[in-house]
Amino acid sequence: MDHRPQAWGRPRDDVYGPYDASYLQTSGPKTATQSPVVTGTSVIAIKFKDGVVMAADNLASYGSLARFTDVKRLRPFLSTSVVGFGGDVSDMQYLDRHLTELAIDEAYEHESSAAGTSGGAPGGQLNAANLHKYLSKLMYRRRNDFDPLWNQVLVAGFDGAGKPFLGSVDLRGTAFAAPSLASGFGAMLAQPIMRRHAATDADAAALSREQAVQIVRDCMKVLFYRDARSLDRYSLAVVTRDGVEISEDERLEQQSWAFAERVRGYGTQVV
Amino acid sequence: MFRNNYDNDSVTFSPQGRIFQVEYAAEAVKQGSVVVGIASKTHAVLVAIKRNAEELSSYQKKLFPIDEHVGIAIAGLTSDARVLSNFMKQQCLGHRLTYGRNIPVRTLVEMIGSKAQINTQHYGKRPYGVGLLVAGVDDHGPHLFEFQPSGMTEEMIAFAIGARSQMARTYLEKNVAKFADCDREELIRHGLRALKESLVQDRELTVDNTSVGVAGSVKADDGSVKVEPFKVYDGQDVAAWIESVADDKEGGASAGEGEGEGMEVDS
Amino acid sequence: MAAMFSQNPLMNGPNYSFNDAPRSNAPDGAREHRFDPYADNGGSTLAIAGADFTIMAGDTRLTSGYSINSRFHPKLFKIGGSTADQKDATLVLSVVGFAADGEALKERLDAICKMYRYRHGKPMSVKACAQRLSTILYQKRFFPYYVHAILGGLDEDGKGAVYSYDPVGSYEREQCRAGGAAASLIMPFLDNQVNFKNQYVPNSGEGHALQERERRPLTRAEVEMLVKDAFDGAVERHIEVGDGLQMMAITKDGIEEIVLPLKKD
């Protein structure tokens, strides 16, 4: 007789073999995002005289699979700023919902303030610089919790002084601003092209809107040629003081793959 | 003997629909010395009379800078005001930390409004025994807000709270049309004149008992806005302003100081 | 041993499987992570204390790996002014290492200094601020701010003061300190040029009898020249340093900021 009540009525190991409880052990350590899953590639942006131009292609990749080919990675904020997302798409969608909420709160705030005695002067809402700061705090907080939002985010719009603003935040909360910015592959391929035209803020202030758009289009083409996780359909946003224009169905025109034959050093073509 | 059974806590309505504890708190505000606030298109001004408990004591501060763009004037229990002031300071710093901008004045005022309201609806809590005038500037220009212990907040063109503040309000009502276009100095003088109205017969504004606080946002010709941070002026810094309103004919001060006894207020 | 015996039914009687209940083998809230929360954003900083001034300097390049993220990202911050533009600040903090931690540290210290000013109606002294910065850093001893911080100001006697820190809060008041990527390039230069290390009076003797050159406080012009030379040297030999040189001179009249170009290659 086994005196342990726990043993009563149980199958004996020497008859049935030890019980395999492995299927019950569902819980390993609690997991946060450990690596991005469905991802968007580069986002690029450049400042010009009256604002900022930003572009990102419409692809969401699942590893090397071109999984979703109609994903919009640029979104407006309060029709004064544009946010572009690279990296994990689900985290992008989370941020998108979060920013929508923030924008609604801010719009209410603005409405009640405008009703004051001093009249409804424009401004007063969160500008791009404020939004950039906010996002950097959000991302930094998540990295401190070891639960990062796996994105690099570009924020375009205007700062408190009314000058064009372009800033970036990454998954560690590192925040910075520059006349031109690019995330992911764009940092290697597009940034040198953009810096040729806008090395400093003064250079950027000499660019017209048409020039800036053209530079960005050229960069998107280079990226499509060289970045295997890119698409020839992309979104283009232009932020000016008049507001935000986003066109989400741009196509790369005049592609020429003639250069591809001459690419050497990859795969079987060693020389 | 008649005894009010509905004033033991702030959660019980009287049959007439009143909450006596909240009304008593409003009385505490009336025992504090008077503070006046005015907002124009370019500036928001606070002026206050400071009291000293006795000749040998120092004067109790009435104006407190909260953040670079906001300041408050208090009437009522100074210690309660300090709690609110600390809270506001924290909110301003927190907002600046997360958004990198000055907190909009209305947002800030609504925060203390909500905070104070909680005390009027929870058993065992006591409403704040202090009223505030909050002056500040944000992207929408200068603002003046009134805050009451009930949690009520309201934007004002000009207002006065505290002992005998009705006199000051009468002055402000008479001149309300002028304020919007006043420049900085004129606005301060209007504030001081309103303050003088509520003084008792034999008292007058001196460099010792007068405080002035100003914040401004002046739009330059090129469209840029120059913000003047909130600053409190005391002592010799207010001498010139007091001097400039000294010639005005004496306000309609009448007898009887409207100050209560017993409660410890900002004396 | 117990497990061995219990697996033997002949010695111990029949065995039963008890451990079939679902359980987590990780402590509550524990997380496995491959995410690296730190990055190195390069750059270098430098601070030198003079007799009645302190000069802080840092380059303005922000890198990650071989990429330059920004050519103007300041590493020097005025601390504890009463307004956001820090017009009346009396202290300067420089941070180099992981930029996001640096930003967080600076804002934390600034908020504390602003709260101090609000409570006490006067700015914090360098000494007090230096001690406070140490505690802030040590509070995150087991998840540190990955930065080399240097705090500069004027002490109670009006003398230049430089405090330097390691990431977990050990600190020391020094005459000069270089931090960041090119610290190892700049520091020996400063030892020699500021503290006159390895400088001897000519013909004063042999070996231990050699007389060290007497130290003297440097003038502001000399220090500014040293800073420029130090950074020109660092830019030449370190890829993460360049673009711009941001200098802040703290004197009794306030803080003067100077930005000079550096090589952008």
Side-chain angles (χ1 to χ4, degrees):
Chain A
M1 171 77 190
D2 194 314
H3 298 279
R4 296 167 299 175
Q6 309 97 294
W8 299 343
R10 278 183 182 266
R12 280 168 53 170
D13 287 359
D14 58 335
V15 178
Y16 297 96
Y19 186 76
D20 179 10
S22 62
Y23 81 98
L24 288 165
Q25 313 246 340
T26 49
S27 50
K30 189 175 177 200
T31 50
T33 312
Q34 289 166 23
S35 54
V37 182
V38 179
T39 57
T41 184
S42 326
V43 190
I44 61 170
I46 187 170
K47 288 201 236 181
F48 66 97
K49 180 156 57 81
D50 313 301
V52 190
V53 185
M54 191 188 284
D57 68 30
N58 292 351
L59 179 67
S61 310
Y62 180 68
S64 57
L65 175 71
R67 182 64 183 83
F68 304 104
T69 54
D70 195 19
V71 174
K72 315 295 192 283
R73 296 196 289 125
L74 304 185
R75 62 149 286 161
F77 181 79
L78 286 172
S79 56
T80 54
S81 312
V82 170
V83 187
F85 300 90
D88 192 274
V89 169
S90 64
D91 286 348
M92 171 186 92
Q93 289 167 343
Y94 165 79
L95 278 169
D96 182 53
R97 290 193 294 275
H98 187 79
L99 289 181
T100 304
E101 209 171 293
L102 183 70
I104 290 171
D105 291 349
E106 186 63 11
Y108 271 114
E109 182 64 46
H110 175 68
E111 192 181 57
S112 56
S113 282
T117 49
S118 53
Q125 301 192 68
L126 287 175
N127 58 38
N130 299 144
L131 179 63
H132 179 240
K133 183 77 146 191
Y134 178 79
L135 284 172
S136 75
K137 298 284 155 167
L138 183 69
M139 303 287 266
Y140 184 67
R141 168 88 196 260
R142 292 291 294 258
R143 90 111 217 185
N144 279 346
D145 296 345
F146 277 91
D147 186 12
L149 293 165
W150 218 286
N151 299 103
Q152 183 164 359
V153 180
L154 300 194
V155 184
F158 293 89
D159 64 10
K163 291 206 283 288
F165 175 87
L166 174 58
S168 164
V169 192
D170 70 8
L171 72 165
R172 296 187 181 87
T174 314
F176 49 89
S180 65
L181 285 173
S183 72
F185 250 105
M188 286 91 182
L189 298 175
Q191 186 69 299
I193 301 172
M194 292 192 289
R195 281 199 182 139
R196 202 149 61 204
H197 298 93
T200 63
D201 272 331
D203 295 338
L207 289 177
S208 70
R209 175 183 170 145
E210 289 69 29
Q211 282 173 310
V213 169
Q214 193 52 50
I215 293 164
V216 165
R217 284 188 197 283
D218 290 348
C219 288
M220 289 309 284
K221 193 184 279 183
V222 170
L223 282 170
F224 182 58
Y225 283 151
R226 279 299 185 167
D227 181 357
R229 307 282 168 265
S230 66
L231 197 65
D232 55 355
R233 303 218 318 202
Y234 63 98
S235 308
L236 186 92
V238 181
V239 203
T240 59
R241 286 178 186 81
D242 301 328
V244 175
E245 300 157 48
I246 300 183
S247 83
E248 292 174 323
D249 199 24
E250 299 286 329
R251 279 159 190 280
L252 284 181
E253 310 283 346
Q254 294 174 310
Q255 292 177 39
S256 165
W257 289 85
F259 76 95
E261 274 183 74
R262 295 189 299 277
V263 174
R264 289 289 180 275
Y266 297 95
T268 51
Q269 294 170 312
V270 181
V271 188
Chain B
M1 201 177 97
F2 170 75
R3 189 169 169 275
N4 189 347
N5 290 312
Y6 296 98
D7 68 351
N8 289 316
D9 56 61
S10 62
V11 299
T12 314
F13 277 108
S14 81
Q16 288 75 40
R18 297 163 64 179
I19 299 168
F20 283 99
Q21 279 300 322
V22 175
E23 293 186 19
Y24 298 164
E27 288 302 311
V29 177
K30 291 181 190 160
Q31 295 183 40
S33 68
V34 63
V35 292
V36 174
I38 315 177
S40 73
K41 281 180 184 162
T42 55
H43 289 87
V45 165
L46 296 173
V47 292
I49 288 285
K50 292 180 285 189
R51 283 203 288 232
N52 53 347
E54 47 191 302
E55 280 307 304
L56 296 173
S57 76
S58 63
Y59 288 81
Q60 177 65 1
K61 271 175 76 177
K62 297 283 285 178
L63 303 186
F64 297 88
I66 298 297
D67 202 12
E68 59 177 278
H69 68 303
V70 185
I72 57 170
I74 64 160
L77 297 172
T78 310
S79 41
D80 283 12
R82 195 163 52 238
V83 172
L84 286 171
S85 166
N86 289 343
F87 174 77
M88 290 167 86
K89 177 75 186 172
Q90 290 293 354
Q91 295 304 318
C92 288
L93 283 174
H95 195 93
R96 190 185 302 286
L97 232 49
T98 34
Y99 299 103
R101 66 168 184 183
N102 290 335
I103 191 171
V105 184
R106 177 180 291 270
T107 310
L108 180 65
V109 172
E110 280 170 5
M111 278 173 168
I112 53 166
S114 311
K115 190 174 159 70
Q117 195 276 339
I118 291 168
N119 290 348
T120 69
Q121 217 177 8
H122 284 263
Y123 190 84
K125 293 203 178 224
R126 166 175 78 74
Y128 289 105
V130 69
L132 306 181
L133 292 180
V134 183
V137 290
D138 57 26
D139 287 332
H140 294 285
H143 296 278
L144 175 71
F145 285 90
E146 178 206 2
F147 161 85
Q148 285 290 333
S150 60
M152 185 225 62
T153 60
E154 189 155 32
E155 176 144 29
M156 294 295 190
I157 298 165
F159 206 59
I161 56 173
R164 300 165 52 80
S165 56
Q166 183 55 49
M167 305 289 210
R169 283 201 294 276
T170 307
Y171 173 88
L172 295 172
E173 281 164 20
K174 253 188 250 167
N175 295 281
V176 68
K178 299 177 195 164
F179 296 148
D181 294 310
C182 278
D183 67 16
R184 184 177 184 272
E185 303 301 308
E186 280 172 341
L187 208 61
I188 294 170
R189 281 199 293 274
H190 275 302
L192 290 174
R193 285 196 201 100
L195 212 55
K196 278 176 79 173
E197 294 288 323
S198 48
L199 287 178
V200 286
Q201 199 90 61
D202 55 348
R203 284 189 77 184
E204 54 186 13
L205 299 180
T206 68
V207 292
D208 293 322
N209 72 3
T210 310
S211 276
V212 176
V214 193
S217 75
V218 180
K219 211 166 246 161
D221 295 328
D222 61 346
S224 66
V225 178
K226 193 180 175 300
V227 173
E228 178 189 344
F230 183 85
K231 187 165 187 255
V232 177
Y233 299 88
D234 283 304
Q236 284 310 316
D237 296 335
V238 299
W241 288 316
I242 293 174
E243 184 64 32
S244 69
V245 294
D247 307 333
D248 301 5
K249 76 170 184 35
E250 278 297 314
S254 55
E257 196 158 339
E259 290 166 29
E261 297 289 320
M263 204 161 189
E264 190 192 322
V265 295
D266 57 321
S267 43
Chain C
M1 288 303 262
M4 253 175 71
F5 288 120
S6 65
Q7 288 301 308
N8 187 343
L10 296 176
M11 280 181 70
N12 241 356
N15 273 279
Y16 303 89
S17 301
F18 291 118
N19 55 347
D20 54 359
R23 67 196 155 101
S24 163
N25 48 7
D28 206 28
R31 290 177 173 188
E32 184 192 330
H33 39 78
R34 272 193 303 253
F35 168 64
D36 179 4
Y38 292 116
D40 183 358
N41 298 113
S44 220
T45 56
L46 165 57
I48 300 174
D52 56 351
F53 63 91
T54 296
I55 295 216
M56 309 272 292
D59 71 319
T60 64
R61 178 176 288 184
L62 183 83
T63 65
S64 66
Y66 288 128
S67 297
I68 296 173
N69 283 336
S70 177
R71 292 192 193 275
F72 191 78
H73 188 86
K75 291 181 185 64
L76 265 49
F77 305 100
K78 297 180 188 173
I79 294 290
S82 54
T83 57
D85 60 15
Q86 307 279 15
K87 221 176 345 198
D88 52 353
T90 54
L91 303 171
V92 175
L93 175 73
S94 76
V95 280
V96 62
F98 174 38
D101 273 350
E103 177 81 7
L105 179 65
K106 158 226 151 187
E107 299 209 327
R108 188 114 167 249
L109 189 68
D110 188 45
I112 285 165
C113 288
K114 282 192 159 61
M115 215 50 213
Y116 182 99
R117 207 187 250 265
Y118 167 77
R119 291 218 176 98
H120 302 276
K122 63 175 185 188
M124 218 167 180
S125 67
V126 237
K127 200 177 170 185
C129 193
Q131 173 66 56
R132 190 66 182 88
L133 179 54
S134 170
T135 38
I136 293 169
L137 288 163
Y138 193 77
Q139 275 171 2
K140 273 172 71 72
R141 171 62 181 80
F142 298 107
F143 184 23
Y145 286 117
Y146 213 78
V147 291
H148 187 311
I150 305 176
L151 185 72
L154 299 177
D155 68 10
E156 294 92 331
D157 305 323
K159 288 199 185 74
V162 165
Y163 290 86
S164 75
Y165 297 79
D166 78 350
V168 290
S170 308
Y171 78 113
E172 186 180 16
R173 184 173 171 180
E174 292 181 294
Q175 203 61 37
C176 63
R177 173 56 70 182
S184 56
L185 275 65
I186 298 175
M187 204 57 219
F189 172 71
L190 295 183
D191 283 338
N192 183 249
Q193 291 294 308
V194 178
N195 291 325
F196 298 155
K197 291 282 165 64
N198 293 303
Q199 292 198 44
Y200 299 98
V201 178
N203 308 319
S204 58
E206 292 274 314
H208 291 293
L210 263 175
Q211 238 183 316
E212 286 184 9
R213 181 181 165 193
E214 201 183 331
R215 288 181 56 192
R216 64 173 172 85
L218 301 176
T219 66
R220 194 174 146 186
E222 283 173 318
V223 170
E224 283 189 23
M225 190 64 80
L226 279 181
V227 169
K228 284 178 212 165
D229 288 348
F231 272 92
D232 282 334
V235 169
E236 203 59 44
R237 288 288 180 175
H238 204 300
I239 55 167
E240 289 173 357
V241 184
D243 291 330
L245 173 60
Q246 184 194 18
M247 260 205 276
M248 288 196 187
I250 309 153
T251 62
K252 63 179 185 341
D253 304 318
I255 300 173
E256 195 183 321
E257 186 173 355
I258 308 153
V259 178
L260 298 166
L262 286 177
K263 280 168 74 170
K264 294 192 198 303
D265 57 3

